[in-house]
Amino acid sequence: MTSLSLDSDLWCRRFHPSPTATRRLVCFPHAGGSASFYFPVSAALYGPVDLLAVQYPGRQDRREEPGVHDLHRVADEVTEALRRWDDLPLTLFGHSMGALVAFEVARRIERAGGRIDHLFVSGRKGPSAARPDPSHPVDDEGIVAELRAMSGTDARLLEDEELLGMVLPALRGDYRAVGAYRADRDAAVSCPVTALVGDQDRWAPVPEAGRWRDRTKAAFDLKVFPGGHFYLSSRADEVTAMLRDHLTGALRA
């Protein structure tokens, strides 16, 4: 198997480097997503916050690389890549599949003696150690149908066979990796956790999102927004304001 590169320039995209930043936010995309999903957030938080967006292999400029097949392995690689970015306090934010990767990265950093200030997990039910996650399809027809239902993908892409053919391989790998993921039974982080979810998200129902409380040894908060699985897009200003208040509040504390 070809080894994934440990070059942090590949793994971590820094759209708006801030020389005055005193906090760093690392953002993890959803299945099929890319680092550019967080470009607007990076622009909005520029100044006190330095944002890194994780770029998974198998998409965009990493399209020629083998895609995601094992979330634990991806977490290992991202953790290694983040070593060069430990000069500022770290907060992690992950949406959907990205929530699982962010959780595993937080565990690894803490296990190595590092510190995570806060973990935000969005649009994802609390991970189970007991069974695989059957909530996502793995065949192309089912994947496209789910993308339509989630309303998180530009409809024009779903109608363009050439573009769809470019993104489906990454989606297949991501969905299989999510389906195969297990959290260790006692896996938990020491940092505070905030779970965010849309009140109409059938892939992450509010009670299931609340199960993240079992995955932290510190404080837990659950924030519910109007919307479905991609409430994050329709409520972008609210979520960004929440992150800004949290991160700049940490500066004042």
Side-chain angles (χ1 to χ4, degrees), residues 190-249:
S190 298
C191 63
V193 171
T194 297
L196 300 85
V197 67
D199 61 1
Q200 300 300 314
D201 188 347
R202 65 184 179 92
W203 289 273
V206 173
E208 294 288 332
R211 295 195 178 199
W212 281 101
R213 75 176 66 251
D214 300 328
R215 296 297 182 172
T216 177
K217 301 173 185 176
F220 174 79
D221 190 20
L222 175 65
K223 294 187 180 298
V224 181
F225 294 84
H229 191 66
F230 278 95
Y231 79 91
L232 195 58
S233 296
S234 60
R235 298 286 168 170
D237 290 346
E238 293 174 46
V239 175
T240 301
M242 180 207 68
L243 290 171
R244 183 187 302 109
D245 289 347
H246 172 85
L247 290 160
T248 58

Side-chain angles (χ1 to χ4, degrees), residues 21-225:
T22 53
R23 285 292 186 276
R24 179 160 286 131
L25 176 65
V26 185
C27 294
F28 298 77
H30 51 281
S34 60
S36 58
F37 182 78
Y38 291 107
F39 185 92
V41 182
S42 175
L45 296 179
Y46 174 76
V49 179
D50 191 58
L51 186 144
L52 298 177
V54 171
Q55 183 77 307
Y56 306 129
R59 64 215 70 207
Q60 291 188 336
D61 57 337
R62 300 190 68 184
R63 190 161 58 91
E64 299 304 318
E65 298 179 51
V68 171
H69 299 290
D70 183 337
L71 297 191
H72 287 286
R73 184 184 176 199
V74 170
D76 289 342
E77 305 264 18
V78 175
T79 301
E80 184 66 24
L82 286 175
R83 287 181 180 273
R84 66 170 288 193
W85 301 105
D86 63 357
D87 56 312
L88 295 177
L90 292 178
T91 292
L92 308 186
F93 182 102
H95 180 64
S96 198
M97 180 182 85
L100 300 177
V101 182
F103 172 66
E104 291 295 339
V105 169
R107 290 185 61 217
R108 284 156 174 76
I109 290 175
E110 290 182 343
R111 198 161 56 220
R115 176 184 171 183
I116 300 297
D117 276 5
H118 205 99
L119 171 63
F120 290 91
V121 287
S122 167
R124 189 75 216 171
K125 54 191 175 184
S128 171
R131 63 188 185 281
D133 184 348
S135 62
H136 294 297
V138 294
D139 62 283
D140 290 355
E141 184 177 346
I143 289 172
V144 172
E146 180 164 284
L147 292 176
R148 293 185 191 280
M150 285 183 171
S151 302
T153 303
D154 191 328
R156 291 170 298 181
L157 184 151
L158 299 178
E159 301 299 332
D160 188 316
E161 291 187 8
E162 183 176 354
L163 290 176
L164 196 56
M166 294 173 64
V167 301
L168 276 172
L171 277 163
R172 284 186 218 112
D174 291 354
Y175 278 10
R176 289 191 180 104
V178 170
Y181 171 79
R182 310 285 195 286
D184 293 341
R185 188 170 300 279
D186 299 322
V189 292
S190 298
C191 63
V193 171
T194 297
L196 300 85
V197 67
D199 61 1
Q200 300 300 314
D201 188 347
R202 65 184 179 92
W203 289 273
V206 173
E208 294 288 332
R211 295 195 178 199
W212 281 101
R213 75 176 66 251
D214 300 328
R215 296 297 182 172
T216 177
K217 301 173 185 176
F220 174 79
D221 190 20
L222 175 65
K223 294 187 180 298
V224 181
F225 294 84

